[in-house]
Amino acid sequence: MDISRDRMEPVDWSIYRFSGGEVKVRGKIKPPVTFENHPTQRTIMQTFVIVHIPSTYNGIIGRPALNELGAVVPTAHLKIKFPTKLGVGEVIGDQEKARECYAALLKKKKAAKETFSIGGTDPRVEVKQGGPVEELMKIPLFPGADEQTVQIGSLQSVKQKKRNFATERQKHIKEEVDKLLDTKFIREIRYPEWLANVVMVKKSNGKWRICIDFTDLNKACSKDCYPLPRTDHLIDATTGHEMLSFMDAFSGYNQIQMYGPDIPKTSIVTDRGLFCYKVMLFGLKNVGATY
């Protein structure tokens, strides 16, 4: 757009795509924007954020600009109409340019689906038949274990579509969320990469148990094969001792703190909002071995 980089103000935040991916903002700029079809024209100052994203467009005008302009946008006719001192202003879209942008978008989507191969031996890149190249991240199995790692796809995060529940079940979910907030087992979260649904399971006593569907998250996690102790071995171990002490392990899983960077991955969606767990909970793949 032939705008000097000196006019760009640096910022330290991100925006999020509709698909859930995080995009780092490189800066922001506030140039004058003129909507014109002489002699009816309007110029307004608008703030743009600068991002590096492959796109068929150089810039996108959002709702704040259209609201300030007082614009009406009949998209079927590729027009913008707005009031000016000399009457109704009008900007007409270029039909040919619009078709070119649409064709470029379709071509980009088609290229992403085609089968291709890449030369080289970079272990971070995995080539998949019929799909895009995905970078793999090496994650330590536990802090400090640089040699014991697992490779996880950087594009694997899944946001489950919110499920709807009947009024009675919604009441029980709300009560459970209130209880978890009071005990500080969960906290609110915004823009999570992973998102799971609540699942209602009826217990034998007729009450409801609130569970979380971590199916997608568990698929992306490696398995900790440490076995749980056998009950008969535990009983045999008491032989020869005069006393046996017991520990109250009520809600024992919830007494283990979640690893900080993994907390956002436990995000759940409810009618009250989005929450994530600060403590370990049932449903995650390796909680048994961890406990």
Side-chain angles (χ1 to χ4, degrees):
M1 291 185 174
D2 295 326
I3 300 175
S4 172
R5 289 181 178 271
D6 296 336
R7 295 178 58 187
M8 185 174 71
E9 179 184 344
V11 297
D12 187 23
W13 42 276
S14 301
I15 60 174
Y16 292 81
R17 307 181 188 213
F18 289 111
S19 60
E22 181 182 5
V23 179
K24 189 70 176 176
V25 175
R26 296 191 169 188
K28 64 180 181 179
I29 191 172
K30 192 173 184 179
V33 181
T34 301
F35 299 81
E36 65 176 6
N37 189 3
H38 193 75
T40 54
Q41 62 185 36
R42 287 270 302 281
T43 299
I44 59 177
M45 303 296 293
Q46 278 299 299
T47 299
F48 291 84
V49 294
I50 312 300
V51 294
H52 183 67
I53 303 176
S55 174
T56 54
Y57 299 93
N58 289 330
I60 297 177
I61 299 293
R63 286 193 299 271
L66 298 177
N67 291 340
E68 184 175 345
L69 200 63
V72 176
V73 187
T75 55
H77 305 288
L78 284 180
K79 289 185 178 181
I80 297 178
K81 292 193 173 186
F82 49 91
T84 73
K85 294 180 179 180
L86 298 178
V88 178
E90 182 180 78
V91 174
I92 303 175
D94 189 320
Q95 292 277 0
E96 184 177 348
K97 284 291 183 183
R99 283 194 292 267
E100 288 179 3
C101 288
Y102 184 64
L105 179 64
L106 293 180
K107 185 177 180 181
K108 186 182 300 183
K109 287 184 177 181
K110 181 180 178 182
K113 293 180 180 179
E114 289 179 349
T115 302
F116 57 92
S117 61
I118 295 180
T121 57
D122 191 339
R124 298 173 301 167
V125 178
E126 179 183 20
V127 181
K128 295 185 176 180
Q129 183 94 4
V133 174
E134 180 177 359
E135 289 192 5
L136 300 179
M137 300 183 297
K138 284 190 174 182
I139 306 296
L141 291 177
F142 52 88
D146 296 332
E147 297 180 357
Q148 296 179 326
T149 61
V150 61
Q151 287 187 330
I152 296 180
S154 59
L155 305 178
Q156 280 187 347
S157 59
V158 176
K159 289 187 177 71
Q160 295 180 3
K161 184 178 179 181
K162 183 182 177 298
R163 299 173 187 169
N164 295 318
F165 296 96
T167 305
E168 179 191 0
R169 299 190 180 189
Q170 284 289 1
K171 177 184 175 183
H172 290 291
I173 294 174
K174 181 181 181 302
E175 292 174 352
E176 182 70 14
V177 169
D178 288 340
K179 185 167 62 175
L180 292 171
L181 284 171
D182 289 341
T183 56
K184 294 182 172 54
F185 284 174
I186 62 174
R187 64 172 172 82
E188 290 189 86
I189 187 172
R190 298 179 66 186
Y191 313 119
E193 292 288 326
W194 293 86
L195 197 59
N197 267 289
V198 172
V199 179
M200 302 288 291
V201 179
K202 206 156 194 176
K203 298 191 288 187
S204 57
N205 60 5
K207 295 183 179 180
W208 290 102
R209 181 190 298 276
I210 309 299
C211 303
I212 311 297
D213 180 10
F214 283 128
T215 305
D216 297 312
L217 180 61
N218 286 337
K219 288 179 181 177
C221 295
S222 58
K223 176 66 176 175
D224 186 345
C225 297
Y226 182 80
L228 293 175
R230 289 171 55 95
T231 305
D232 57 341
H233 290 175
L234 291 175
I235 295 175
D236 291 342
T238 65
T239 304
H241 294 274
E242 296 181 356
M243 300 181 65
L244 179 64
S245 62
F246 292 88
M247 179 185 69
D248 182 3
F250 180 74
S251 296
Y253 279 33
N254 297 149
Q255 297 174 25
I256 298 177
Q257 301 294 312
M258 284 291 299
Y259 177 54
D262 289 337
I263 288 178
K265 299 185 179 76
T266 66
S267 298
I268 61 173
V269 56
T270 72
D271 278 355
R272 286 201 52 187
L274 307 181
F275 303 91
C276 59
Y277 277 80
K278 299 191 293 183
V279 296
M280 197 171 74
L281 70 160
F282 285 103
L284 295 173
K285 179 181 283 187
N286 295 314
V287 293
T290 302
Y291 183 66

